[in-house]
Amino acid sequence: LAENGSVDQSAKAVTDDSGTSDNSFDDGDKSPDLETKPSGVESEEIAVVATKRAKRGVKPPPVFKPSTHYCLKKDQIDLCHAACIEHYEKVMHTVKARSLYLELADGFDVLRERGRGRYDMELAAFDTDPKFSFLTDNKKAAWMPIIHKLLGEDAVLSHKGCFLSLKNSDTQVYHQDGVHLSKKFQKPCHAVNVFIPLLDMEMQNGPTEFSLGSHYLGYDGWVKENLYTPCVKAGTPIIFDYRLGHRGLGNRSDVVRPVVYLTYSAAKAGKEFRDEVNFSRKRYKKLGEFAEPSLTRDERAKKRKFC
């Protein structure tokens, strides 16, 4: 989300408080380095220099201004963080208790792997617990003015969940979440993602890297000169076109990195776009009820005492 007086259809991103993002890499996977801003050079000058160096047909990343609008509050961040970690632990405990390791490789309805150490999770609490209405209620979600600007007043929340990147997770394969609705001409944006990191993002813990402009038909490739990796504060939404190319970078920090995601789609004539590929539950085995947590030694002793 760029506060530059216009709505950029490529990626709405909010930089950190300094107004810059650290675009250096050190994840061991030959990820490219982006040019850093030389000392004493203004943003406008850097934009000119970058334009001169850019290859024909590419556009260097714009300079995004910081914003504190549309963000989650501290208690909301903490609530989401606790829910995501709890969900992951319950799923993994259930997998262990029922010896479902082979099934885990194929994925479950509530958790599937998106690369080594990276999990896409669907939390029932987001649907059933009213405490999370600040995420799911279109009248309460702070970023809805931007969603309505992009998709119209009848935009709907079609998918939601959490991406969890464990320590030493791999960098994702570059991809687009959705295809173009027409292969002949560029159609308007029909869906957007909202990524909300639940901790301060830095290059060490694996933020999301975007190839700006890759949502245009015929320009979906990864282009080094167009890369932008927003390192935002916890609770800051990153809003981008569903067709925009991106990848999550590897987590080289000492903590897990959860990111809440929400996908909104335009509803034309009462029918909204739905992604039946990424979010088809028919593709995945149902995990069922979570296994009861194991009792501690003291809890087992107390239980025997009263039996």
Side-chain angles (χ1 to χ4, degrees), residues 1 12 25 32 49 59 71 89 204 218 234 261:
L1 173 63
K12 319 301 182 226
F25 290 79
V49 173
K59 181 181 179 181
C71 300
E89 291 177 344
Q204 193 72 6
Y261 69 85

Side-chain angles (χ1 to χ4, degrees), residues 35-299:
E35 296 179 0
T36 56
K37 176 179 177 181
S39 60
V41 181
E42 296 301 324
S43 298
E44 292 78 4
E45 296 177 67
I46 266 295
V48 173
V49 173
T51 302
K52 291 180 178 179
R53 294 178 181 174
K55 299 177 183 177
R56 179 175 298 180
V58 301
K59 181 181 179 181
V63 177
F64 289 95
K65 295 181 180 179
S67 173
T68 56
H69 300 310
Y70 319 113
C71 300
L72 293 184
K73 300 175 183 178
K74 177 65 165 60
D75 59 327
Q76 295 171 333
I77 296 171
D78 293 342
L79 183 65
C80 290
H81 191 287
C84 293
I85 300 302
E86 181 183 20
H87 180 87
Y88 172 78
E89 291 177 344
K90 285 183 175 180
V91 171
M92 289 306 174
H93 173 71
T94 302
V95 168
K96 181 178 180 180
R98 299 174 185 166
S99 298
L100 298 174
Y101 298 106
L102 292 178
E103 290 83 352
L104 176 63
D106 294 327
F108 296 104
D109 55 342
V110 294
L111 180 146
R112 45 262 185 190
E113 197 168 23
R114 304 292 195 193
R116 188 183 68 84
R118 315 181 70 90
Y119 294 98
D120 178 358
M121 309 187 302
E122 292 189 39
L123 283 67
F126 286 177
D127 288 311
T128 60
D129 193 335
K131 288 187 296 186
F132 292 99
S133 62
F134 61 86
L135 288 178
T136 58
D137 189 334
N138 285 4
K139 295 181 180 180
K140 296 181 180 180
W143 44 86
M144 286 311 297
I146 305 301
I147 304 303
H148 289 150
K149 181 73 173 178
L150 293 169
L151 302 176
E153 293 297 323
D154 55 355
V156 296
L157 175 60
S158 52
H159 305 292
K160 54 194 172 298
C162 174
F163 293 127
L164 191 68
S165 178
L166 304 183
K167 294 180 287 185
N168 296 315
S169 64
D170 284 348
T171 291
Q172 266 188 316
V173 174
Y174 172 80
H175 65 283
Q176 284 87 9
D177 286 338
V179 299
H180 289 267
L181 299 185
S182 171
K183 295 183 180 180
K184 296 181 178 180
F185 61 93
Q186 180 76 18
K187 299 191 71 172
C189 179
H190 61 273
V192 297
N193 283 330
V194 181
F195 283 6
I196 310 171
L198 302 180
L199 45 72
D200 293 347
M201 297 305 297
E202 53 189 37
M203 295 307 295
Q204 193 72 6
N205 58 22
T208 303
E209 173 191 90
F210 298 94
S211 183
L212 301 188
S214 56
H215 65 301
Y216 285 111
L217 187 63
Y219 295 90
D220 57 351
W222 182 92
V223 179
K224 179 179 180 180
E225 288 81 3
N226 291 358
L227 296 183
Y228 179 62
T229 310
C231 290
V232 301
K233 298 295 184 182
T236 304
I238 303 171
I239 305 172
F240 62 97
D241 192 302
Y242 203 62
R243 300 164 293 185
L244 188 69
H246 61 282
R247 62 176 183 166
L249 301 179
N251 185 357
R252 300 295 175 261
S253 71
D254 294 328
V255 296
V256 298
R257 187 225 67 185
V259 173
V260 167
Y261 69 85
L262 305 138
T263 300
Y264 294 88
S265 56
K268 303 299 182 183
K271 183 178 181 181
E272 74 273 11
F273 163 80
R274 298 193 69 83
D275 188 338
E276 300 297 344
V277 177
N278 289 318
F279 299 101
S280 174
R281 290 206 165 201
K282 296 179 181 178
R283 293 176 55 192
Y284 303 105
K285 179 182 177 65
K286 291 185 177 181
L287 184 62
E289 296 293 327
F290 292 138
E292 291 295 325
S294 302
L295 298 177
T296 65
R297 180 180 299 177
D298 291 340
E299 289 172 334

